[in-house]
Amino acid sequence: MTAVCRHVAYLGPPTTLGGLLMDPPHSLCVQSYAPRRQRHGTVNADGFGAGWYVDRRAEPVRYRRAQSIWSDQSFASLAPTIASGCVLGAVRSATPGFPADESCAAPFAEGPWLFSHNGATAEPALVRKALRDAVDWVPDALAPVDSAFLFGLAVARWRAGASLGTGLAGVVRDVATAGDGRVTLLAADGERVAGVTWGEPMYVRRHHGAVVVASEPYDDEPGWEEVPDRHLVQAENSAVTVTPIEEAT
Ligand code: GLN
């Protein structure tokens, strides 16, 4: 069985971490033990994390733990007090073979970027071998999990000048040439969020001047739209574009 994580990215007027990740009826916290649309795995209890941006600081703040989000009372206490206009949160169900270590929990971070991966590369060793020269070995890319390697690929593309979204699309294309897998990705840089779908679902909603991109809707309000498979979704300000991955260069 392959396990699948849940993640969510937010861009818009400041929201609290609690309001985004804990309070909605099907929040990431609820999804960690009762996901509704998860195709693989049942609980997401092998770690979690949140990254968010604050004024006058390009790098995000990041909080990660190796435990389940629902069992972290400290996070429950601080989450309602922190507000940000750009947030990425993730709960993890470790793919068999990879440890349930804090370093393997998303979001991965480097410079202004946050990143998370939902899925698994089919042959992680082969993908690593084929693409090892394309990776920037930033500290987070060294974690013992396939997602970290994908983050290193993304950082290399971003540092070479790719936009947030085209960098993610490039990672998916790289992995597609090197093997197979499910590689649905989310990223943020403080001013935009982007996601690519490849084998795992993703939804987008525009609501009250904000854009949310998520593995599954966190409430039953109208407006959630599924992003088709193998597409790139990009949000900046309140504008959203969805394009096929092949066209995202
Ligand atoms: N393969 C990644 C990991 O082990 C992502 C897992 C997932 O999407 N469940 O953390």
Side-chain angles (χ1 to χ4, degrees):
M1 181 188 72
T2 326
V4 173
C5 315
R6 304 280 86 178
H7 50 188
V8 58
Y10 174 93
L11 184 71
T15 178
T16 63
L17 300 186
L20 180 70
L21 307 175
M22 311 295 281
D23 300 343
H26 301 283
S27 67
L28 211 59
C29 184
V30 175
Q31 290 172 33
S32 71
Y33 55 83
R36 294 190 293 175
R37 307 208 182 174
Q38 188 157 315
R39 293 173 187 164
H40 304 85
T42 48
V43 293
N44 300 288
D46 300 319
F48 76 98
W52 63 93
Y53 296 82
V54 296
D55 288 347
R56 295 184 293 281
R57 194 172 186 270
E59 298 82 25
V61 184
R62 179 180 57 176
Y63 180 97
R64 293 189 295 178
R65 284 293 176 264
Q67 69 198 74
S68 66
I69 189 170
W70 76 75
S71 66
D72 186 343
Q73 292 305 306
S74 296
F75 186 70
S77 165
L78 65 84
T81 72
I82 295 171
S84 173
C86 187
V87 181
L88 199 165
V91 293
R92 178 171 184 235
S93 175
T95 298
F98 297 123
D101 186 84
E102 182 181 310
S103 70
C104 299
F108 299 91
E110 176 66 24
W113 300 297
L114 290 170
F115 173 96
S116 69
H117 165 218
N118 174 191
T121 47
E123 296 284 352
L126 292 182
V127 168
R128 238 169 218 255
K129 201 170 166 191
L131 299 174
R132 66 184 165 211
D133 294 334
V135 174
D136 267 11
W137 289 110
V138 296
D140 275 18
L142 293 164
V145 62
D146 57 354
S147 315
F149 184 81
L150 302 178
F151 179 55
L153 291 172
V155 169
R157 285 181 170 273
W158 291 328
R159 284 184 172 165
S163 72
L164 193 72
T166 57
L168 292 184
V171 171
V172 169
R173 285 196 301 268
D174 281 351
V175 176
T177 60
D180 202 2
R182 291 173 291 107
V183 182
T184 290
L185 307 173
L186 261 186
D189 67 5
E191 291 173 4
R192 45 193 84 75
V193 301
V196 288
T197 50
W198 186 28
E200 294 295 340
M202 194 172 265
Y203 293 79
V204 62
R205 180 170 72 171
R206 274 161 277 198
H207 195 56
H208 299 316
V211 180
V212 177
V213 185
S215 305
E216 56 185 81
Y218 57 60
D219 61 30
D220 292 328
E221 301 299 317
W224 294 100
E225 292 168 33
E226 186 161 8
V227 179
D229 199 38
R230 306 203 175 199
H231 277 64
L232 165 67
V233 54
Q234 301 182 90
E236 187 167 357
N237 300 318
S238 49
V240 179
T241 58
V242 178
T243 42
I245 284 174
E246 316 81 70
E247 292 169 23
T249 51

